[in-house]
Amino acid sequence: RAPLTFECWVYLKTVSGGSSGRDMLYSKNNGRSGSPYTYMFGFYYGGRIAAFDGSAWQPPDPIVTVTAGRWYHVAFCFDGKTMHYYLDGQLVGRNNDYSFNNDVSHSVKLGGYQSSADFNGYQAEARVWNHARSARQVAECMQQRLTGQEPGLVGYWPLNEGSGTDVPDFTNQGADGILFNTAWATTEEPRLQRLALAHPETG
């Protein structure tokens, strides 16, 4: 139940529909199919923002749905008791029943939760904090690039390298990643200058 925040910019080219639809942005699990999860953050059931607590989906109250074809800044801020959900710097809902059990043996993945179920779109400026960010902090920092040395920042992947397969973590935690089933995109996000985005391919 340790507090944390995950935030990123995301552009969905398509939204996965139906009861099995999943467009996950950040997950922590052991393996990539049918395995236990620590948590998952993203969208399900046709673009509904939600967090998975290891056993069930926990959407906010009220239900909030995103659409394909535009950029969103998304933030999941958990204070140890309540999950707060933000879109474009605005609090859009909360869930008072969220909790999770952290398994230190689990690994994290940006842009999906299975190798065969990655979302179809772009992702940029992915950040993990060891505390629940306030509404003011989310709004003030979402359009700014970070240095990686900000207090409480435990993972920062700008995803703007543009070539190669390495995805460096800009903090001192050393959580560097490797691209899998992805390609770099040069599409510029209108709210951040000179942004090259990680582009997960479908499947």
Side-chain angles (χ1 to χ4, degrees):
R1 298 176 63 88
L4 85 161
T5 295
F6 171 74
E7 61 176 321
C8 72
W9 283 92
V10 59
Y11 181 105
L12 295 175
K13 296 174 69 176
T14 59
V15 173
S16 299
S19 60
S20 61
R22 304 285 187 271
D23 294 304
M24 291 299 103
L25 306 177
Y26 183 75
S27 65
K28 186 173 184 180
N29 69 330
N30 184 22
R32 294 296 169 221
S33 179
S35 62
Y37 297 92
T38 290
Y39 48 64
M40 294 188 286
F41 303 139
F43 310 103
Y44 81 134
Y45 287 10
R48 294 182 182 183
I49 189 171
F52 190 77
D53 63 9
S55 61
W57 292 102
Q58 301 291 348
D61 184 18
I63 296 294
V64 177
T65 303
V66 300
T67 60
R70 62 152 289 188
W71 280 98
Y72 293 94
H73 182 270
V74 187
F76 300 80
C77 303
F78 179 60
D79 63 10
K81 296 181 179 179
T82 302
M83 177 68 79
H84 297 80
Y85 301 80
Y86 293 84
L87 284 178
D88 296 334
Q90 299 295 316
L91 178 67
V92 294
R94 54 176 56 88
N95 186 296
N96 296 323
D97 297 323
Y98 189 81
S99 65
F100 66 90
N101 293 315
N102 184 43
D103 190 324
V104 296
S105 70
H106 288 182
S107 60
V108 302
K109 182 177 182 182
L110 295 172
Y113 71 104
Q114 295 181 16
S115 60
S116 60
D118 298 341
F119 80 92
N120 181 20
Y122 309 119
Q123 189 173 8
E125 287 293 308
R127 306 163 181 180
V128 177
W129 306 81
N130 66 5
H131 58 273
R133 302 285 281 172
S134 68
R136 180 177 179 179
Q137 288 173 321
V138 171
E140 286 183 347
C141 293
M142 71 182 200
Q143 296 179 1
Q144 301 176 3
R145 292 201 182 279
L146 307 181
T147 66
Q149 305 306 308
E150 287 76 5
L153 186 66
V154 295
Y156 176 39
W157 305 271
L159 301 173
N160 65 344
E161 286 71 33
S163 63
T165 60
D166 295 331
V167 180
D169 173 14
F170 278 51
T171 73
N172 294 328
Q173 301 298 314
D176 300 331
I178 299 174
L179 294 184
F180 181 77
N181 280 356
T182 64
W184 293 106
T186 57
T187 303
E188 285 197 2
E189 197 284 313
R191 304 186 197 191
L192 294 172
Q193 295 182 353
R194 300 187 306 280
L195 185 61
L197 303 153
H199 177 192
E201 301 288 350
T202 55

